[in-house]
Each structure stands twice: as structure tokens, then as C-alpha cells.
Amino acid sequence: QIQLVQSGPELKKPGESVKISCKASGYTFTDYAMHWVKQAPGKGLKWMGWINTYTGKPTYADDFKGRFVFSLEASASTANLQISNLKNEDTATYFCARATEGMDAWGQGASVTVSS
Amino acid sequence: DVVMTQTPVSLSLAIGQPASISCKSSQSLLGTSGKTFLNWILQRPGQSPKRLIYQVSKLYSEVPDRFSGSGSETEFTLKISRVEAEDLGVYYCWQGTHFPLTFGSGTKLEIK
């Protein structure tokens, strides 16, 4: 069955960087793009952008341009999200979701806590 | 950006009662392809979101048929014919027609 398994929780200090992974299984990784979605504690969902898993081309929503980088390890069927120069407001759970007509499969979420 | 407005903010219903959630968009979600990319997802407490409905009214295979979606252009509705205990959580509509993709603020369904 289709699964997206994300990396574990992270505790970071302001200014540090973090890399979150999303490993896909149960389908051909390069057939579907991957979305990234942010959920701050107790808040709703915010789309960060997506990455074309065939070409590797990322597309970022305006609020996520600059410190956020989507990348791939296609041979490992893995999509990555790297956040640099972490700020307190980056504290959130980050989800990957497979892009089809909708978002038909979601990872379990990766929690990032930024605290000094 | 397309603003997605969901009402009500919360619902408290007994098992067996019907539920209705409204989702309105600030722009038409009818795309140039002729498709309307309005979707619904459910986030149960402590879990990641799960797929429910895509393109307004198409249920994913595992979704019970007590769920239904309807609407067009800017006004959409998710209905549950008879609420069950497993339906509790936060329902989000989201649109995939216009960049950037945007989500509604969610409707929390509680079971009495």
C-alpha cells in the first residue's frame, strides 16, 4: 500500500538548520509530485509548495521562499525539506503529501520545535 | 490568494445526526480544464490529515458513502448523512485550482 514515512521530531535552536525527510513506498516515486504543508501548534494547514519528483523542480509559496528548500533523493524514493536559519515561528509539524487529483496520501508529520 | 471560508467553526452532534459543512471560495474554482479542484480532508485528533473527497464530489474508495460533496464555482458543501463516532475531528476544504493552494480554516466536529 502507499505509504509516506517522515523522519522523527527535531528540537533546534534559533539560527540552526533542520532537514526533514519523507520516504515513499508502494508506488513509483517519480510518477507523482510531492506537496509540503505546515501546521503550527493548534493552527490550520498552510501549503508550502511542491516538488516535481521527475524533474526535481521545486515551486514555493511566497511565504516559503528563501530559507526553505525542497530536494529529492530519487534513488531512495525520498523527498526532503530543509529549513535554514530557524526562527521561533518555524515551530510546527510539517507534512508531506502525494500530489494527485487531490492530496491522496499524507505522511505522519514531522515535528520541529525551535527554542533557545 | 484564494480565501477559503468554512462554516461553522465547530459542530457538536449526536451519533446518527446529519452534518453539513459549508466552504466558500473568494474566486471561482472552475479551472481551464473544466475541472473544479475543491477537496475535503479530515484530521482526527493527533493524526495526520486523511483524504475524503476530491473534485467536489468524488469519494476516495475507502470513504463511507454517508459522506457526500456538492457545489460549484464558489460554494461547496460536505455532508454526512449520519454521523458516527469515528467522524470526529477537523474537516478542511482546500483548493487546488489556483496558485498558491489554500486551505479553509477548518470545522471541528465533536460527538455529543
Side-chain angles (χ1 to χ4, degrees):
Chain A
Q1 77 281 21
I2 296 160
Q3 273 196 307
L4 300 177
V5 179
Q6 297 186 240
S7 47
E10 301 270 7
L11 175 58
K12 295 289 184 182
K13 291 180 166 45
E16 293 184 336
S17 295
V18 69
K19 190 173 186 178
I20 296 164
S21 66
C22 170
K23 183 171 176 59
S25 61
Y27 70 99
T28 302
F29 181 69
T30 51
D31 281 353
Y32 299 90
M34 194 72 76
H35 293 288
W36 287 96
V37 176
K38 176 183 178 181
Q39 187 169 41
K43 301 296 185 182
L45 302 165
K46 187 164 188 176
W47 184 71
M48 301 173 67
W50 64 284
I51 185 164
N52 183 318
T53 55
Y54 186 76
T55 65
K57 180 185 175 187
T59 300
Y60 302 97
D62 285 349
D63 286 350
F64 299 98
K65 290 178 179 175
R67 298 188 297 114
F68 300 82
V69 176
F70 305 149
S71 64
L72 302 173
E73 296 170 50
S75 60
S77 299
T78 297
N80 299 307
L81 164 63
Q82 183 158 353
I83 310 172
S84 59
N85 189 21
L86 282 162
K87 304 178 187 305
N88 290 333
E89 55 263 37
D90 296 325
T91 294
T93 298
Y94 294 87
F95 296 100
C96 57
R98 192 176 80 154
T100 55
E101 297 284 2
M103 295 183 199
D104 72 339
W106 292 68
Q108 83 276 22
S111 170
V112 174
T113 301
V114 183
S115 176
S116 53
Chain B
D1 297 1
V2 177
V3 177
M4 305 296 288
T5 302
Q6 280 184 243
T7 54
V9 172
S10 64
L11 280 174
S12 182
L13 297 170
I15 291 174
Q17 283 191 295
S20 182
I21 300 171
S22 169
C23 176
K24 295 184 179 181
S25 58
S26 60
Q27 298 178 35
S28 172
L29 299 185
L30 177 62
T32 53
S33 62
K35 295 181 179 180
T36 300
F37 296 102
L38 184 283
N39 313 280
W40 293 93
I41 54 176
L42 166 60
Q43 188 173 30
R44 296 188 177 101
Q47 296 187 19
S48 61
K50 298 286 191 290
R51 66 189 196 181
L52 282 179
I53 289 172
Y54 66 102
Q55 287 182 38
V56 181
S57 60
K58 299 179 181 179
L59 270 63
Y60 286 100
S61 57
E62 73 282 3
V63 177
D65 61 7
R66 63 178 181 277
F67 288 88
S68 64
S70 62
S72 63
E73 300 280 359
T74 62
E75 297 193 7
F76 305 91
T77 303
L78 173 70
K79 291 187 177 180
I80 310 172
S81 58
R82 296 173 309 280
V83 166
E84 296 192 6
E86 65 181 16
D87 300 337
L88 87 164
V90 181
Y91 291 81
Y92 294 94
C93 60
W94 67 272
Q95 66 82 21
T97 301
H98 302 285
F99 176 89
L101 279 61
T102 49
F103 292 86
S105 52
T107 296
K108 186 175 184 179
L109 174 59
E110 297 174 325
I111 307 298
K112 282 181 184 177

CSV table of all heavy atoms in Angstrom, one decimal, chain A residues 35 37 39 43-47 50 59-62 95 100-109, chain B residues 1 35 37 39 41 43 47-51 54-55 60 62 92 94 99-105:
chain,number,residue,atom,x,y,z
A,35,HIS,N,3.8,17.4,-2.3
A,35,HIS,CA,3.5,18.7,-1.6
A,35,HIS,C,4.1,18.7,-0.2
A,35,HIS,O,4.3,17.7,0.4
A,35,HIS,CB,2.0,18.8,-1.4
A,35,HIS,CG,1.2,19.0,-2.6
A,35,HIS,ND1,1.2,20.2,-3.4
A,35,HIS,CD2,0.3,18.2,-3.2
A,35,HIS,CE1,0.4,20.0,-4.4
A,35,HIS,NE2,-0.2,18.8,-4.3
A,37,VAL,N,3.3,20.7,3.5
A,37,VAL,CA,2.3,21.5,4.2
A,37,VAL,C,2.7,21.7,5.7
A,37,VAL,O,3.2,20.8,6.3
A,37,VAL,CB,0.9,20.7,4.2
A,37,VAL,CG1,-0.1,21.5,5.0
A,37,VAL,CG2,0.4,20.5,2.8
A,39,GLN,N,1.8,23.0,9.6
A,39,GLN,CA,0.7,23.1,10.6
A,39,GLN,C,1.4,23.6,12.0
A,39,GLN,O,2.0,22.8,12.7
A,39,GLN,CB,-0.1,21.9,10.9
A,39,GLN,CG,-1.3,22.1,11.8
A,39,GLN,CD,-2.2,20.9,11.8
A,39,GLN,OE1,-1.8,19.7,11.8
A,39,GLN,NE2,-3.5,21.1,11.8
A,43,LYS,N,-3.0,25.2,15.1
A,43,LYS,CA,-3.5,26.0,13.9
A,43,LYS,C,-3.9,25.1,12.8
A,43,LYS,O,-3.8,23.9,12.8
A,43,LYS,CB,-2.4,27.0,13.5
A,43,LYS,CG,-1.9,27.9,14.6
A,43,LYS,CD,-3.0,28.9,15.0
A,43,LYS,CE,-2.5,29.9,16.0
A,43,LYS,NZ,-3.6,30.8,16.5
A,44,GLY,N,-4.3,25.8,11.7
A,44,GLY,CA,-4.7,25.1,10.5
A,44,GLY,C,-3.5,24.7,9.6
A,44,GLY,O,-2.3,24.8,10.0
A,45,LEU,N,-3.8,24.4,8.4
A,45,LEU,CA,-2.9,23.9,7.4
A,45,LEU,C,-2.5,25.0,6.4
A,45,LEU,O,-3.3,25.8,6.0
A,45,LEU,CB,-3.5,22.7,6.6
A,45,LEU,CG,-3.9,21.5,7.5
A,45,LEU,CD1,-4.8,20.6,6.7
A,45,LEU,CD2,-2.7,20.8,8.1
A,46,LYS,N,-1.2,25.0,6.1
A,46,LYS,CA,-0.7,26.0,5.1
A,46,LYS,C,0.2,25.3,4.1
A,46,LYS,O,1.1,24.7,4.5
A,46,LYS,CB,0.1,27.1,5.8
A,46,LYS,CG,0.5,28.3,4.9
A,46,LYS,CD,0.9,29.5,5.7
A,46,LYS,CE,1.1,30.7,4.7
A,46,LYS,NZ,1.4,31.9,5.4
A,47,TRP,N,-0.1,25.5,2.8
A,47,TRP,CA,0.6,24.9,1.8
A,47,TRP,C,1.9,25.7,1.6
A,47,TRP,O,2.0,26.9,1.4
A,47,TRP,CB,-0.2,25.0,0.5
A,47,TRP,CG,0.4,24.3,-0.7
A,47,TRP,CD1,0.6,23.0,-0.9
A,47,TRP,CD2,1.0,25.0,-1.9
A,47,TRP,NE1,1.2,22.8,-2.1
A,47,TRP,CE2,1.4,23.9,-2.7
A,47,TRP,CE3,1.1,26.3,-2.3
A,47,TRP,CZ2,2.0,24.2,-4.0
A,47,TRP,CZ3,1.6,26.6,-3.5
A,47,TRP,CH2,2.1,25.5,-4.3
A,50,TRP,N,5.5,22.6,-3.6
A,50,TRP,CA,5.6,21.2,-4.1
A,50,TRP,C,6.9,21.0,-4.9
A,50,TRP,O,7.5,22.0,-5.3
A,50,TRP,CB,4.4,20.8,-4.9
A,50,TRP,CG,4.1,21.5,-6.1
A,50,TRP,CD1,3.6,22.8,-6.3
A,50,TRP,CD2,4.4,21.1,-7.5
A,50,TRP,NE1,3.6,23.1,-7.6
A,50,TRP,CE2,4.0,22.1,-8.4
A,50,TRP,CE3,4.8,19.8,-8.0
A,50,TRP,CZ2,4.1,21.9,-9.7
A,50,TRP,CZ3,4.9,19.7,-9.3
A,50,TRP,CH2,4.6,20.7,-10.2
A,59,THR,N,8.6,24.3,-6.4
A,59,THR,CA,7.8,25.5,-6.5
A,59,THR,C,7.4,25.9,-5.1
A,59,THR,O,6.9,25.1,-4.3
A,59,THR,CB,6.5,25.3,-7.3
A,59,THR,OG1,6.9,24.9,-8.7
A,59,THR,CG2,5.7,26.5,-7.4
A,60,TYR,N,7.7,27.1,-4.7
A,60,TYR,CA,7.5,27.6,-3.3
A,60,TYR,C,6.4,28.6,-3.3
A,60,TYR,O,6.3,29.5,-4.1
A,60,TYR,CB,8.8,28.2,-2.8
A,60,TYR,CG,10.0,27.3,-2.8
A,60,TYR,CD1,10.9,27.3,-3.8
A,60,TYR,CD2,10.1,26.3,-1.8
A,60,TYR,CE1,12.0,26.4,-3.8
A,60,TYR,CE2,11.2,25.5,-1.8
A,60,TYR,CZ,12.1,25.5,-2.8
A,60,TYR,OH,13.2,24.7,-2.8
A,61,ALA,N,5.5,28.5,-2.3
A,61,ALA,CA,4.6,29.6,-2.0
A,61,ALA,C,5.4,30.8,-1.5
A,61,ALA,O,6.5,30.6,-1.0
A,61,ALA,CB,3.6,29.1,-0.9
A,62,ASP,N,4.9,32.0,-1.7
A,62,ASP,CA,5.6,33.2,-1.4
A,62,ASP,C,6.2,33.2,0.0
A,62,ASP,O,7.3,33.6,0.2
A,62,ASP,CB,4.7,34.4,-1.6
A,62,ASP,CG,4.5,34.7,-3.1
A,62,ASP,OD1,5.2,34.1,-3.9
A,62,ASP,OD2,3.6,35.5,-3.4
A,95,PHE,N,4.1,18.3,7.0
A,95,PHE,CA,3.6,17.1,6.4
A,95,PHE,C,4.0,17.1,4.9
A,95,PHE,O,4.0,18.1,4.3
A,95,PHE,CB,2.0,17.1,6.4
A,95,PHE,CG,1.4,17.0,7.7
A,95,PHE,CD1,0.9,18.1,8.4
A,95,PHE,CD2,1.3,15.8,8.4
A,95,PHE,CE1,0.3,18.1,9.6
A,95,PHE,CE2,0.7,15.7,9.6
A,95,PHE,CZ,0.2,16.8,10.2
A,100,THR,N,-1.9,14.2,-6.3
A,100,THR,CA,-2.7,13.5,-7.4
A,100,THR,C,-3.8,14.5,-7.8
A,100,THR,O,-3.5,15.7,-7.7
A,100,THR,CB,-3.3,12.2,-6.9
A,100,THR,OG1,-4.0,12.4,-5.7
A,100,THR,CG2,-2.2,11.2,-6.6
A,101,GLU,N,-5.0,14.1,-8.0
A,101,GLU,CA,-6.1,15.0,-8.2
A,101,GLU,C,-6.3,15.8,-7.0
A,101,GLU,O,-6.8,16.9,-7.0
A,101,GLU,CB,-7.4,14.2,-8.6
A,101,GLU,CG,-7.3,13.5,-9.9
A,101,GLU,CD,-7.4,14.4,-11.1
A,101,GLU,OE1,-7.4,15.6,-11.0
A,101,GLU,OE2,-7.3,13.8,-12.3
A,102,GLY,N,-6.0,15.2,-5.8
A,102,GLY,CA,-6.0,15.9,-4.6
A,102,GLY,C,-4.7,15.6,-3.9
A,102,GLY,O,-3.7,15.6,-4.6
A,103,MET,N,-4.7,15.5,-2.6
A,103,MET,CA,-3.5,15.0,-1.9
A,103,MET,C,-4.0,13.7,-1.3
A,103,MET,O,-4.6,13.6,-0.3
A,103,MET,CB,-3.1,16.0,-0.8
A,103,MET,CG,-2.6,17.3,-1.3
A,103,MET,SD,-2.1,18.4,0.0
A,103,MET,CE,-2.2,20.0,-0.7
A,104,ASP,N,-3.6,12.6,-2.0
A,104,ASP,CA,-4.3,11.3,-1.6
A,104,ASP,C,-3.6,10.5,-0.6
A,104,ASP,O,-4.1,9.5,-0.2
A,104,ASP,CB,-4.6,10.5,-2.9
A,104,ASP,CG,-3.3,9.9,-3.5
A,104,ASP,OD1,-2.2,10.4,-3.2
A,104,ASP,OD2,-3.5,8.9,-4.3
A,105,ALA,N,-2.4,10.9,-0.2
A,105,ALA,CA,-1.7,10.2,0.8
A,105,ALA,C,-0.8,11.2,1.6
A,105,ALA,O,-0.2,12.1,0.9
A,105,ALA,CB,-0.8,9.1,0.3
A,106,TRP,N,-0.8,11.1,2.9
A,106,TRP,CA,-0.1,12.0,3.7
A,106,TRP,C,0.9,11.3,4.6
A,106,TRP,O,0.6,10.2,5.1
A,106,TRP,CB,-1.1,12.8,4.6
A,106,TRP,CG,-2.0,13.7,3.9
A,106,TRP,CD1,-3.0,13.4,3.1
A,106,TRP,CD2,-2.0,15.1,4.0
A,106,TRP,NE1,-3.6,14.5,2.6
A,106,TRP,CE2,-3.0,15.6,3.2
A,106,TRP,CE3,-1.2,16.1,4.8
A,106,TRP,CZ2,-3.3,17.0,3.1
A,106,TRP,CZ3,-1.5,17.4,4.6
A,106,TRP,CH2,-2.5,17.9,3.8
A,107,GLY,N,2.0,11.9,4.9
A,107,GLY,CA,2.9,11.4,5.9
A,107,GLY,C,2.4,11.6,7.3
A,107,GLY,O,1.4,12.3,7.4
A,108,GLN,N,3.0,11.0,8.2
A,108,GLN,CA,2.5,11.2,9.6
A,108,GLN,C,2.9,12.5,10.3
A,108,GLN,O,2.4,12.8,11.4
A,108,GLN,CB,3.0,10.0,10.5
A,108,GLN,CG,4.4,10.2,11.1
A,108,GLN,CD,5.6,9.8,10.1
A,108,GLN,OE1,5.4,9.8,8.9
A,108,GLN,NE2,6.7,9.5,10.7
A,109,GLY,N,3.7,13.3,9.6
A,109,GLY,CA,4.1,14.6,10.1
A,109,GLY,C,5.4,14.5,10.8
A,109,GLY,O,5.8,13.5,11.4
B,1,ASP,N,-4.4,35.7,-3.2
B,1,ASP,CA,-4.6,34.3,-2.9
B,1,ASP,C,-6.1,34.0,-2.7
B,1,ASP,O,-6.9,34.9,-2.3
B,1,ASP,CB,-3.9,33.9,-1.6
B,1,ASP,CG,-2.4,34.0,-1.7
B,1,ASP,OD1,-1.9,34.4,-2.7
B,1,ASP,OD2,-1.7,33.7,-0.6
B,35,LYS,N,-12.3,21.2,-14.9
B,35,LYS,CA,-12.4,20.5,-13.6
B,35,LYS,C,-12.4,21.6,-12.5
B,35,LYS,O,-11.8,22.6,-12.6
B,35,LYS,CB,-11.3,19.6,-13.4
B,35,LYS,CG,-11.2,18.4,-14.4
B,35,LYS,CD,-10.1,17.5,-14.2
B,35,LYS,CE,-10.1,16.3,-15.1
B,35,LYS,NZ,-9.0,15.4,-14.9
B,37,PHE,N,-11.2,21.9,-8.7
B,37,PHE,CA,-10.3,21.2,-7.8
B,37,PHE,C,-10.5,21.7,-6.3
B,37,PHE,O,-9.7,22.3,-5.7
B,37,PHE,CB,-8.8,21.5,-8.2
B,37,PHE,CG,-8.4,20.9,-9.5
B,37,PHE,CD1,-8.4,21.7,-10.6
B,37,PHE,CD2,-8.2,19.5,-9.7
B,37,PHE,CE1,-8.1,21.2,-11.9
B,37,PHE,CE2,-7.9,19.0,-10.9
B,37,PHE,CZ,-7.8,19.8,-12.0
B,39,ASN,N,-11.4,20.1,-2.7
B,39,ASN,CA,-11.2,18.8,-2.0
B,39,ASN,C,-11.5,19.0,-0.5
B,39,ASN,O,-11.5,20.0,0.1
B,39,ASN,CB,-9.7,18.4,-2.1
B,39,ASN,CG,-9.2,18.6,-3.5
B,39,ASN,OD1,-9.5,17.7,-4.4
B,39,ASN,ND2,-8.5,19.7,-3.8
B,41,ILE,N,-10.6,17.1,3.4
B,41,ILE,CA,-9.8,16.1,4.2
B,41,ILE,C,-10.3,16.2,5.6
B,41,ILE,O,-10.9,17.2,6.0
B,41,ILE,CB,-8.3,16.5,4.1
B,41,ILE,CG1,-8.0,17.9,4.5
B,41,ILE,CG2,-7.7,16.2,2.7
B,41,ILE,CD1,-6.6,18.3,4.5
B,43,GLN,N,-8.9,15.6,9.6
B,43,GLN,CA,-7.7,15.4,10.5
B,43,GLN,C,-8.3,15.0,11.9
B,43,GLN,O,-8.9,15.8,12.6
B,43,GLN,CB,-6.9,16.7,10.6
B,43,GLN,CG,-5.6,16.4,11.4
B,43,GLN,CD,-4.6,17.6,11.4
B,43,GLN,OE1,-5.0,18.7,11.3
B,43,GLN,NE2,-3.3,17.3,11.5
B,47,GLN,N,-3.6,13.0,14.6
B,47,GLN,CA,-3.3,12.3,13.4
B,47,GLN,C,-3.0,13.3,12.3
B,47,GLN,O,-3.2,14.5,12.4
B,47,GLN,CB,-4.4,11.4,13.0
B,47,GLN,CG,-4.7,10.3,14.0
B,47,GLN,CD,-5.7,9.3,13.5
B,47,GLN,OE1,-5.9,9.2,12.3
B,47,GLN,NE2,-6.3,8.5,14.4
B,48,SER,N,-2.4,12.7,11.2
B,48,SER,CA,-2.2,13.5,10.0
B,48,SER,C,-3.5,13.5,9.2
B,48,SER,O,-4.4,12.7,9.5
B,48,SER,CB,-1.1,12.9,9.2
B,48,SER,OG,-1.4,11.6,8.8
B,49,PRO,N,-3.7,14.5,8.3
B,49,PRO,CA,-4.9,14.5,7.5
B,49,PRO,C,-5.1,13.3,6.7
B,49,PRO,O,-4.1,12.6,6.3
B,49,PRO,CB,-4.7,15.8,6.7
B,49,PRO,CG,-3.8,16.6,7.4
B,49,PRO,CD,-2.8,15.7,8.1
B,50,LYS,N,-6.4,13.0,6.4
B,50,LYS,CA,-6.7,11.8,5.6
B,50,LYS,C,-7.6,12.3,4.5
B,50,LYS,O,-8.4,13.2,4.7
B,50,LYS,CB,-7.5,10.8,6.4
B,50,LYS,CG,-6.7,10.2,7.5
B,50,LYS,CD,-5.6,9.2,7.1
B,50,LYS,CE,-5.0,8.4,8.2
B,50,LYS,NZ,-4.1,9.2,9.1
B,51,ARG,N,-7.5,11.7,3.3
B,51,ARG,CA,-8.3,12.1,2.2
B,51,ARG,C,-9.7,11.7,2.4
B,51,ARG,O,-10.0,10.7,2.9
B,51,ARG,CB,-7.7,11.4,0.9
B,51,ARG,CG,-7.8,9.9,0.9
B,51,ARG,CD,-7.1,9.3,-0.2
B,51,ARG,NE,-7.5,7.9,-0.4
B,51,ARG,CZ,-7.0,7.1,-1.3
B,51,ARG,NH1,-6.0,7.5,-2.1
B,51,ARG,NH2,-7.4,5.9,-1.4
B,54,TYR,N,-12.4,14.5,-3.5
B,54,TYR,CA,-11.6,15.3,-4.5
B,54,TYR,C,-12.6,15.7,-5.6
B,54,TYR,O,-13.6,15.1,-5.9
B,54,TYR,CB,-10.4,14.6,-5.0
B,54,TYR,CG,-10.7,13.4,-5.9
B,54,TYR,CD1,-10.6,13.4,-7.2
B,54,TYR,CD2,-11.0,12.1,-5.3
B,54,TYR,CE1,-10.8,12.3,-8.0
B,54,TYR,CE2,-11.2,11.0,-6.0
B,54,TYR,CZ,-11.2,11.1,-7.4
B,54,TYR,OH,-11.4,10.0,-8.2
B,55,GLN,N,-12.2,16.8,-6.2
B,55,GLN,CA,-13.0,17.4,-7.3
B,55,GLN,C,-14.5,17.5,-6.9
B,55,GLN,O,-15.4,17.0,-7.6
B,55,GLN,CB,-12.8,16.6,-8.6
B,55,GLN,CG,-11.5,16.8,-9.3
B,55,GLN,CD,-11.3,16.0,-10.6
B,55,GLN,OE1,-12.2,15.9,-11.3
B,55,GLN,NE2,-10.1,15.5,-10.8
B,60,TYR,N,-13.0,9.1,-2.3
B,60,TYR,CA,-11.9,8.1,-2.4
B,60,TYR,C,-12.5,6.7,-2.0
B,60,TYR,O,-13.5,6.6,-1.3
B,60,TYR,CB,-10.8,8.4,-1.4
B,60,TYR,CG,-9.9,9.6,-2.0
B,60,TYR,CD1,-10.1,10.9,-1.5
B,60,TYR,CD2,-9.0,9.3,-3.0
B,60,TYR,CE1,-9.3,11.9,-2.0
B,60,TYR,CE2,-8.2,10.4,-3.5
B,60,TYR,CZ,-8.4,11.6,-3.0
B,60,TYR,OH,-7.6,12.7,-3.6
B,62,GLU,N,-12.1,4.3,0.0
B,62,GLU,CA,-12.3,3.8,1.4
B,62,GLU,C,-13.3,4.6,2.2
B,62,GLU,O,-13.6,4.3,3.3
B,62,GLU,CB,-11.0,3.6,2.1
B,62,GLU,CG,-10.4,5.0,2.5
B,62,GLU,CD,-9.7,5.7,1.4
B,62,GLU,OE1,-9.7,5.3,0.3
B,62,GLU,OE2,-9.1,6.8,1.7
B,92,TYR,N,-11.3,20.0,6.7
B,92,TYR,CA,-10.7,21.1,5.9
B,92,TYR,C,-11.2,21.0,4.5
B,92,TYR,O,-11.0,19.9,3.9
B,92,TYR,CB,-9.2,21.2,6.0
B,92,TYR,CG,-8.6,21.4,7.3
B,92,TYR,CD1,-8.2,20.4,8.2
B,92,TYR,CD2,-8.4,22.7,7.8
B,92,TYR,CE1,-7.6,20.6,9.4
B,92,TYR,CE2,-7.7,23.0,9.0
B,92,TYR,CZ,-7.4,21.9,9.8
B,92,TYR,OH,-6.8,22.2,11.0
B,94,TRP,N,-10.0,22.5,0.7
B,94,TRP,CA,-8.8,23.1,0.2
B,94,TRP,C,-9.0,23.1,-1.3
B,94,TRP,O,-9.6,22.3,-1.9
B,94,TRP,CB,-7.5,22.5,0.6
B,94,TRP,CG,-7.2,21.1,0.1
B,94,TRP,CD1,-7.6,19.9,0.7
B,94,TRP,CD2,-6.5,20.7,-1.1
B,94,TRP,NE1,-7.1,18.9,0.0
B,94,TRP,CE2,-6.4,19.3,-1.1
B,94,TRP,CE3,-5.8,21.4,-2.1
B,94,TRP,CZ2,-5.8,18.6,-2.1
B,94,TRP,CZ3,-5.2,20.7,-3.1
B,94,TRP,CH2,-5.2,19.3,-3.1
B,99,PHE,N,-2.9,29.0,-7.9
B,99,PHE,CA,-1.6,29.0,-7.1
B,99,PHE,C,-1.7,30.3,-6.2
B,99,PHE,O,-2.1,31.4,-6.7
B,99,PHE,CB,-0.4,29.1,-8.0
B,99,PHE,CG,0.9,29.3,-7.3
B,99,PHE,CD1,1.6,28.2,-6.9
B,99,PHE,CD2,1.4,30.6,-7.1
B,99,PHE,CE1,2.8,28.4,-6.2
B,99,PHE,CE2,2.6,30.8,-6.4
B,99,PHE,CZ,3.3,29.7,-6.0
B,100,PRO,N,-1.3,30.3,-4.9
B,100,PRO,CA,-1.0,29.0,-4.2
B,100,PRO,C,-2.2,28.2,-3.8
B,100,PRO,O,-3.3,28.8,-3.6
B,100,PRO,CB,-0.2,29.6,-3.0
B,100,PRO,CG,-0.9,30.9,-2.7
B,100,PRO,CD,-1.3,31.5,-4.1
B,101,LEU,N,-2.0,27.0,-3.5
B,101,LEU,CA,-3.1,26.2,-3.0
B,101,LEU,C,-3.4,26.7,-1.6
B,101,LEU,O,-2.5,27.2,-0.8
B,101,LEU,CB,-2.6,24.7,-2.8
B,101,LEU,CG,-2.7,23.8,-4.0
B,101,LEU,CD1,-1.8,24.3,-5.2
B,101,LEU,CD2,-2.3,22.4,-3.7
B,102,THR,N,-4.7,26.7,-1.3
B,102,THR,CA,-5.1,27.3,0.0
B,102,THR,C,-6.1,26.4,0.7
B,102,THR,O,-6.9,25.7,0.0
B,102,THR,CB,-5.7,28.7,-0.1
B,102,THR,OG1,-6.7,28.7,-1.2
B,102,THR,CG2,-4.6,29.7,-0.5
B,103,PHE,N,-6.1,26.4,2.0
B,103,PHE,CA,-7.0,25.6,2.9
B,103,PHE,C,-8.0,26.5,3.6
B,103,PHE,O,-7.7,27.7,3.9
B,103,PHE,CB,-6.2,24.9,4.0
B,103,PHE,CG,-5.3,23.8,3.4
B,103,PHE,CD1,-4.0,24.1,3.0
B,103,PHE,CD2,-5.7,22.5,3.4
B,103,PHE,CE1,-3.1,23.1,2.5
B,103,PHE,CE2,-4.8,21.5,3.0
B,103,PHE,CZ,-3.6,21.8,2.5
B,104,GLY,N,-9.2,26.0,3.9
B,104,GLY,CA,-10.1,26.6,4.8
B,104,GLY,C,-9.5,26.5,6.2
B,104,GLY,O,-8.5,25.8,6.5
B,105,SER,N,-10.1,27.2,7.1
B,105,SER,CA,-9.6,27.3,8.5
B,105,SER,C,-10.1,26.1,9.3
B,105,SER,O,-9.7,26.0,10.5
B,105,SER,CB,-10.0,28.6,9.2
B,105,SER,OG,-11.4,28.8,9.0
